[in-house]
Amino acid sequence: MEISEKNGFVELTTEDDFDLEKIFECGQCFRWNRQEDESYIGVAMGRAARISKRGNTVYISGTMEDYENVWREYFDLDRDYRSLRRQVAVDGYMKSASDFGAGIRLLNQDRWETLCSFIISQCNNIPRIKGIVERLSALYGREISFEGKTYYSFPGADVIAPLTVEDLAPIRSGYRAGYIIEAARAVDSGKISLEELSGQSLKQAKAALMALPGIGEKVANCVILFSLRIPSAFPIDVWMKKAISQHYPHGFDPGVFGENAGLAQQYMFYFQRSGGANNP
DNA sequence: AAACAGGCCTAAA
DNA sequence: TTTAGGCCTGTT
């Protein structure tokens, strides 16, 4: 992988899987938006950025320092996804799903933001989830100027903790507002340490998260996979239920993928939601 | 208009 | 241990 810095962008040339559209639209994140020129602008880890790709070169706005401090970890660039993709292709279906999803990477996102975002995701569709997250950020986040426009960071748990559900009314998150505030209080008070959960087992992390109100197995698994860096988490939502009943009618155990179960899940999910197996 | 959306909670068997 | 209904809001 070659890396250099030029014109306010870090340029990174790699043979590994890296497809912007699949990474940002496979359902793991909510704050990256495609621009007319097919680049993406988003806010993550307290900063705004533009990212694009031409050929095998990825362009990420910012300095080499930004890259080392934030984006290298965020985009999980020290992991070889081509090799992982081969490892999860354990049967014909998974070969198809992983081929179809080639280019997906699992992001290492901010833990609190991910927890809050997936609380919001329950029983919601993606446009509305994105809308609620944007309104929450605009209302309580910090202003960020980028390319002449204003963006907003995702507000910290310390900012949300003292609020009431009435304070969150403008974001129109409905009954999830109470869950958001309770989660913020647990994180802010130290009652739950998301950082420490990162180092624990899947089972322990899941139990700790599910002790919070409004967090069940599915949301817990999403938080664990997308921000706690525990790669064996395997979120099962309605799309995954369909995929499993269609392709594994006689039983299914994510354990067959070992530590790579989470990535396998992303391929299955993306394939299913894109109608991959039905209209190739 | 009524049903449903990337769940969760509670009550009831 | 599994199942049904309700929940905010928005869209079809």
Side-chain angles (χ1 to χ4, degrees):
Chain A
M1 192 161 70
E2 291 175 37
I3 306 174
S4 63
E5 184 179 341
K6 207 186 291 177
N7 305 325
F9 281 79
V10 170
E11 303 186 3
L12 163 107
T13 300
T14 173
E15 301 288 314
D16 195 20
D17 290 8
F18 199 121
D19 184 309
L20 290 176
E21 182 176 358
K22 290 177 187 168
I23 291 169
F24 292 137
E25 292 175 22
C26 69
Q28 60 181 326
C29 56
F30 302 103
R31 298 209 72 195
W32 291 91
N33 296 302
R34 197 221 272 268
Q35 309 298 302
E36 288 182 4
D37 65 354
E38 301 199 340
S39 67
Y40 280 80
I41 292 181
V43 181
M45 313 307 284
R47 55 193 84 191
R50 180 190 287 272
I51 177 164
S52 59
K53 189 178 186 195
R54 268 213 324 270
N56 283 337
T57 304
V58 178
Y59 302 83
I60 308 175
S61 64
T63 63
M64 194 63 87
E65 196 182 350
D66 294 321
Y67 170 77
E68 286 297 337
N69 289 340
V70 178
W71 305 121
R72 181 174 173 175
E73 169 84 2
Y74 184 80
F75 287 105
D76 206 18
L77 288 164
D78 292 310
R79 212 183 302 278
D80 178 356
Y81 276 77
R82 274 212 308 198
S83 145
L84 296 177
R85 179 154 52 84
R86 277 195 297 272
Q87 292 179 45
V88 302
V90 297
D91 55 31
Y93 163 67
M94 282 307 300
K95 176 78 169 71
S96 305
S98 58
D99 282 349
F100 186 83
I104 289 176
R105 306 182 75 82
L106 255 4
L107 299 173
N108 290 131
Q109 302 180 68
D110 177 79
R111 298 174 179 90
W112 156 246
E113 174 176 342
T114 306
L115 173 57
C116 193
S117 298
F118 280 91
I119 286 174
I120 292 168
S121 80
Q122 67 183 87
C123 203
N124 251 162
N125 52 47
I126 291 180
R128 190 154 100 98
I129 298 166
K130 291 179 82 166
I132 294 169
V133 171
E134 279 312 310
R135 288 190 289 275
L136 178 60
S137 301
L139 194 55
Y140 292 109
R142 183 172 44 77
E143 279 195 19
I144 301 172
S145 295
F146 179 70
E147 296 183 354
K149 292 188 181 172
T150 301
Y151 297 85
Y152 297 90
S153 67
F154 191 88
D158 58 322
V159 178
I160 307 298
L163 302 180
T164 65
V165 291
E166 289 74 34
D167 294 321
L168 288 185
I171 72 171
R172 285 171 281 155
S173 61
Y175 63 86
R176 303 161 194 83
Y179 299 154
I180 293 172
I181 289 170
E182 286 309 312
R185 289 178 182 167
V187 169
D188 184 51
S189 69
K191 185 178 172 193
I192 183 170
S193 164
L194 298 177
E195 280 204 6
E196 281 176 24
L197 290 187
S198 265
Q200 296 181 209
S201 70
L202 174 60
K203 193 175 170 184
Q204 288 174 309
K206 206 186 289 187
L209 289 171
M210 288 175 67
L212 298 173
I215 299 186
E217 180 136 25
K218 193 270 180 181
V219 168
N221 271 307
C222 285
V223 175
I224 291 167
L225 182 59
F226 302 139
S227 75
L228 298 190
R229 300 134 217 248
I230 298 175
S232 52
F234 196 89
I236 298 179
D237 66 343
V238 292
W239 293 98
M240 285 301 295
K241 281 181 186 156
K242 281 186 214 166
I244 291 168
S245 67
Q246 247 175 269
H247 302 286
Y248 299 100
H250 305 300
F252 173 78
D253 176 13
V256 301
F257 302 112
E259 285 300 294
N260 301 320
L263 182 60
Q265 187 273 356
Q266 283 305 98
Y267 291 133
M268 292 172 71
F269 175 81
Y270 183 73
F271 195 45
Q272 187 72 26
R273 210 185 55 162
S274 308
N278 304 318
N279 12 271

